[in-house]
Amino acid sequence: MPEQRSKVSEYSRQRIVTLVTKHVRTQFRLPISATMERAIAPAIERLGMDAARRRPLLLDAGCGTGRSTRALALLHPHATVIGVDRSEVRLRKAPPLPENALLLRARLEEFWLLAQRAGIVFAKTYLLYPNPYPKSWQLQRRWHGHPIFPVMLATTRAIELRTNQEWYAEEFCAALSVLGWEYTTGALDTDEVLTPFERKYAERGQIRVVVLARCPNQLSCA
């Protein structure tokens, strides 16, 4: 992407650094009901078994109707792809999935905590067009400003974020820097689309930004 003026002010950048640093130094505690834990357990068990067979694990976080999960499973037939979304209504609209894909209705915060407890490590986590919550006071609702952010990074070796908001990508990268992650950003100019939202943006000629991040080898990542 050509060099251009930052979409994020220095004040906002420092605010992100301060917030993420705080979350790294504290343990995120979220009560998980026994009912929810039982609901998530079968998916965690399958991921654990596939990991033991050395199958790469991919997470489609906030998968919506599961169309992106299906697309990722077809693109990566030798991996196990799980799509997680909290909306039963959206998941009911899921297309037929290949055998290497599964969907789970759960809050991502709960899923990430249980995955971490089980020692699940994803080869890559996909964050495809998350709701940016654009208001300044909504920073902690964005994934990179949420207390779950360090847990998310602890359960994956790489992240692919796609967004149509350049400022969101910049904020995410600022948060990654706090934990020493390496990343690249650029305009997504491929015809490949993974979600209905992305198809709409591509057809309208709107910018699509991709952040590719990975945990450096010198860090103890997952």
Side-chain angles (χ1 to χ4, degrees):
M1 208 162 40
E3 186 176 349
Q4 53 188 316
R5 186 175 180 180
S6 173
K7 305 293 183 181
V8 178
S9 70
E10 186 58 31
Y11 169 78
S12 295
R13 194 178 300 275
Q14 287 303 316
R15 185 171 167 229
I16 291 166
V17 170
T18 299
L19 186 61
V20 175
T21 300
K22 173 187 173 183
H23 292 158
V24 169
R25 292 174 177 172
T26 57
Q27 183 177 0
F28 179 49
R29 299 183 183 277
L30 178 70
I32 303 176
S33 70
T35 300
M36 180 54 67
E37 194 164 347
R38 284 194 298 270
I40 296 176
I44 294 291
E45 183 178 3
R46 174 175 171 180
L47 293 173
M49 290 190 298
D50 285 355
R53 291 195 287 264
R54 299 188 179 278
R55 287 181 62 88
L57 306 180
L58 306 179
L59 170 62
D60 184 6
C63 65
T65 62
R67 294 185 181 278
S68 51
T69 307
R70 182 178 187 275
L72 290 170
L74 293 175
L75 285 170
H76 304 280
H78 300 298
T80 296
V81 185
I82 181 170
V84 180
D85 200 276
R86 65 183 179 182
S87 172
E88 183 177 0
V89 173
R90 287 193 288 264
L91 290 174
R92 283 178 179 173
K93 300 176 182 178
L97 298 175
E99 292 184 0
N100 65 321
L102 68 153
L103 297 176
L104 173 67
R105 183 194 175 197
R107 290 177 60 193
L108 277 162
E109 297 95 320
E110 295 173 321
F111 175 77
W112 273 316
L113 285 170
L114 292 175
Q116 183 185 45
R117 184 190 302 176
I120 300 298
V121 180
F122 293 98
K124 181 182 279 191
T125 294
Y126 290 83
L127 297 170
L128 302 175
Y129 303 92
N131 187 338
Y133 292 107
K135 303 294 185 182
S136 176
W137 60 270
Q138 294 175 317
L139 173 58
Q140 294 192 64
R141 296 187 182 182
R142 301 167 208 155
W143 287 130
H144 51 274
H146 195 285
I148 200 66
F149 186 66
V151 179
M152 178 205 304
L153 296 191
T155 57
T156 193
R157 295 191 178 93
I159 291 177
E160 180 168 334
L161 168 76
R162 295 189 184 190
T163 177
N164 66 324
Q165 301 292 333
E166 293 175 81
W167 65 266
Y168 191 94
E170 282 192 42
E171 283 196 358
F172 194 83
C173 291
L176 287 171
S177 296
V178 177
L179 289 102
W181 275 52
E182 298 175 347
Y183 59 83
T184 60
T185 65
L188 194 64
D189 55 6
T190 176
D191 292 333
E192 172 198 275
V193 295
L194 294 176
T195 73
F197 282 116
E198 187 172 26
R199 184 173 301 280
K200 178 179 66 176
Y201 301 141
E203 290 174 349
R204 293 178 178 177
Q206 295 181 353
I207 188 168
R208 294 175 292 147
V209 181
V210 60
V211 177
L212 299 175
R214 68 180 182 88
C215 180
N217 293 331
Q218 64 265 28
L219 293 183
S220 177
C221 300

